[in-house]
């Protein structure tokens, strides 16, 4: 009876699964921290964010059965009832694992949506995680193939001799062997070396990661150039980033506005902003001053002869000696 070959399928499955969850959790952590909320202390921000990620919406309401400082709540819910003229559901059912339930409607609660399409971001995040997992594993396989590029074949009787040869070979010992005809030296080595492409796969992974950051509305550079980038090249992707950022920020701000109108809260008590403090033109549209070059065509508009605008970073100290209009 032939011996059953040992399989490493379980180990491979474990590696693939852990790699997938590594990327998934890493991206979920970033998406969970995209927005800075101003909410009553009784609202759990983590639950609010998770509901928006996995459900696409969250129900904000007031339960007067709780103490005064714990009455405002934001919880996951299911949508139902008849829709209004704008095709919005009008009845909401809140059910928590601890048995807490509430029936709410459009007159006493507000639904905050993730975006105007009312879709869930977890689906897109799963796509990015799968792509990064495939690329990550392919990169590891390619690197591993550089370590063992050959397969050796021999009989059981020749196994010990071959192992001794390989030990000498790996140790850098010169090997001189005189063998008889049909010995194991002939036709025993199969070259399985593959080209090294891990560096290209890594660039592909960086592109996927940058695509995910753009999807989130986080500043990133989508340029693969190795040399120093100029300012215009660094900011080339900012339009896509700002557009993606607004898809989630607008609906959240609209939801906060509806909450303030319904429950009489102030902006200090209910509001949301995108969580980014990077010194970019997305966060600070007026961070650049316009530098006029004396004696050149288009001076009044701040343009040089070649039609390029001269800009000065506002992070630098600007004084009268700089000849910069603020």
């Amino acid at each position: 009876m032939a011996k059953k070959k040992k399989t490493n399928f379980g180990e491979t499955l474990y590696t693939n699964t852990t790699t997938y969850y590594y990327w998934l959790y890493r991206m979920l952590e970033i998406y969970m921290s995209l927005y800075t909320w101003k909410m009553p202390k009784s609202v759990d921000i983590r639950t609010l964010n998770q509901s928006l990620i996995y459900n696409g919406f969250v129900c904000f309401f007031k339960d007067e059965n709780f103490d005064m400082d714990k009455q405002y709540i934001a919880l996951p819910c299911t949508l139902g009832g008849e829709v209004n003229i704008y095709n919005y559901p009008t009845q909401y059912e809140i059910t928590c694992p601890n048995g807490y339930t509430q029936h709410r409607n459009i007159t006493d609660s507000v639904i905050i949506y993730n975006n105007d399409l009312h879709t869930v971001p977890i689906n897109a995040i799963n796509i990015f995680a799968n792509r990064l997992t495939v690329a990550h594993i392919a990169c590891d396989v390619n690197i591993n193939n550089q370590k063992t590029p050959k397969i050796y074949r021999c009989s059981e009787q020749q196994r010990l001799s071959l192992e001794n040869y390989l030990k000498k070979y790996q140790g850098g010992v010169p090997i001189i062997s005189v063998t008889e005809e049909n010995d194991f030296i002939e036709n025993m080595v199969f070259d399985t070396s593959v080209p090294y492409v891990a560096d290209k796969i890594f660039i592909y992974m960086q592109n996927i990661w940058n695509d995910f950051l753009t999807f989130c509305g986080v500043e990133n550079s989508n340029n693969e150039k190795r040399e120093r980038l100029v300012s215009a090249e660094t900011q080339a992707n900012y339009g896509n980033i700002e557009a993606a950022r607004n898809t989630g920020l607008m609906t959240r701000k609209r939801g906060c506005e509806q909450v303030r109108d319904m429950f009489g809260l102030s902006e200090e008590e209910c509001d949301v902003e995108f969580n980014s403090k990077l010194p970019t033109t997305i966060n600070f549209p007026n961070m650049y001053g316009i530098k006029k070059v004396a004696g050149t065509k288009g001076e009044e508009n701040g343009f040089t002869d070649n039609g390029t605008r001269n800009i000065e970073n506002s992070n630098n100290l600007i004084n009268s000696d700089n000849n910069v209009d603020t």
Side-chain angles (χ1 to χ4, degrees):
M1 180 180 292
K3 295 182 179 179
K4 292 183 179 180
K5 295 183 178 180
K6 294 182 178 179
T7 177
N8 60 350
F9 175 76
E11 181 180 348
T12 302
L13 179 62
Y14 174 79
T15 301
N16 294 351
T17 303
T18 52
T19 302
Y20 165 77
Y21 281 111
Y22 164 76
W23 288 110
L24 179 65
Y25 292 154
R26 187 175 173 185
M27 288 187 285
L28 282 174
E29 289 172 352
I30 291 176
Y31 204 92
M32 287 277 287
S33 63
L34 289 181
Y35 302 94
T36 301
W37 294 87
K38 293 179 181 178
M39 282 285 175
K41 293 182 179 179
S42 55
V43 174
D44 184 68
I45 303 301
R46 176 178 176 273
T47 301
L48 187 154
N49 284 327
Q50 281 188 327
S51 182
L52 290 172
I53 291 174
Y54 291 100
N55 299 333
F57 50 84
V58 65
C59 182
F60 186 102
F61 61 98
K62 182 178 181 180
D63 190 343
E64 296 181 353
N65 294 321
F66 289 100
D67 296 337
M68 185 64 67
D69 60 341
K70 298 180 180 179
Q71 292 182 351
Y72 294 108
I73 308 173
L75 290 175
C77 68
T78 56
L79 306 179
E82 296 182 359
V83 296
N84 60 14
I85 61 174
Y86 297 110
N87 201 31
Y88 285 96
T90 57
Q91 304 290 328
Y92 323 127
E93 297 292 338
I94 296 97
T95 303
C96 298
N98 67 347
Y100 175 81
T101 60
Q102 282 287 312
H103 175 77
R104 295 286 163 168
N105 58 61
I106 199 170
T107 63
D108 60 11
S109 58
V110 172
I111 298 296
I112 302 175
Y113 290 98
N114 175 66
N115 55 39
D116 278 330
L117 293 178
H118 302 175
T119 57
V120 292
I122 186 62
N123 294 333
I125 295 174
N126 270 321
I127 293 175
F128 288 119
N130 278 314
R131 288 177 178 174
L132 284 169
T133 300
V134 172
H136 193 158
I137 293 172
C139 188
D140 289 344
V141 170
N142 184 254
I143 293 175
N144 190 59
N145 284 339
Q146 309 305 312
K147 182 175 64 175
T148 55
K150 299 183 186 300
I151 298 176
Y152 300 88
R153 183 182 67 177
C154 66
S155 65
E156 186 65 30
Q157 293 78 12
Q158 299 166 341
R159 179 176 180 176
L160 180 60
S161 298
L162 178 59
E163 288 178 349
N164 290 333
Y165 273 109
L166 293 178
K167 288 179 181 178
K168 292 181 180 179
Y169 173 78
Q170 293 175 354
V173 178
I175 301 175
I176 300 177
S177 176
V178 179
T179 63
E180 298 179 0
E181 188 178 358
N182 296 326
D183 204 351
F184 72 89
I185 294 298
E186 296 185 9
N187 301 323
M188 73 169 187
V189 181
F190 298 89
D191 192 349
T192 61
S193 58
V194 296
Y196 178 76
V197 294
D199 53 345
K200 296 180 180 179
I201 298 176
F202 185 74
I203 293 175
Y204 171 70
M205 292 174 63
Q206 287 182 315
N207 291 338
I208 298 175
W209 184 254
N210 287 338
D211 194 16
F212 163 71
L213 293 179
T214 299
F215 165 78
C216 294
V218 177
E219 294 91 336
N220 67 89
S221 174
N222 62 347
N223 200 310
E224 300 177 11
K225 289 175 61 177
R226 298 285 184 178
E227 61 270 17
R228 188 168 179 262
L229 300 177
V230 298
S231 177
E233 291 173 323
T234 303
Q235 301 177 29
N237 198 35
Y238 282 177
N240 293 331
I241 295 170
E242 184 179 30
R245 177 181 298 185
N246 287 337
T247 60
L249 185 59
M250 287 191 307
T251 52
R252 285 164 173 79
K253 277 192 167 295
R254 191 183 306 133
C256 289
E257 182 179 353
Q258 293 171 356
V259 168
R260 293 195 298 267
D261 291 342
M262 180 173 291
F263 300 104
L265 300 178
S266 65
E267 288 190 9
E268 290 300 319
E269 295 174 301
C270 183
D271 200 8
V272 62
E273 295 293 342
F274 196 84
N275 187 19
S276 177
K277 299 179 179 62
L278 293 176
T280 64
T281 52
I282 302 179
N283 296 325
F284 306 98
N286 299 320
M287 69 178 293
Y288 291 110
I290 306 302
K291 183 177 181 180
K292 296 182 180 180
V293 182
T296 60
K297 183 179 179 181
E299 175 184 284
E300 65 278 2
N301 294 323
F303 287 90
T304 61
D305 287 333
N306 60 7
T308 60
R309 184 181 293 272
N310 294 277
I311 58 177
E312 189 88 18
N313 194 317
S314 64
N315 290 334
N316 298 328
L317 296 178
I318 299 178
N319 51 45
S320 58
D321 295 333
N322 297 128
N323 193 25
V324 176
D325 291 343
T326 57

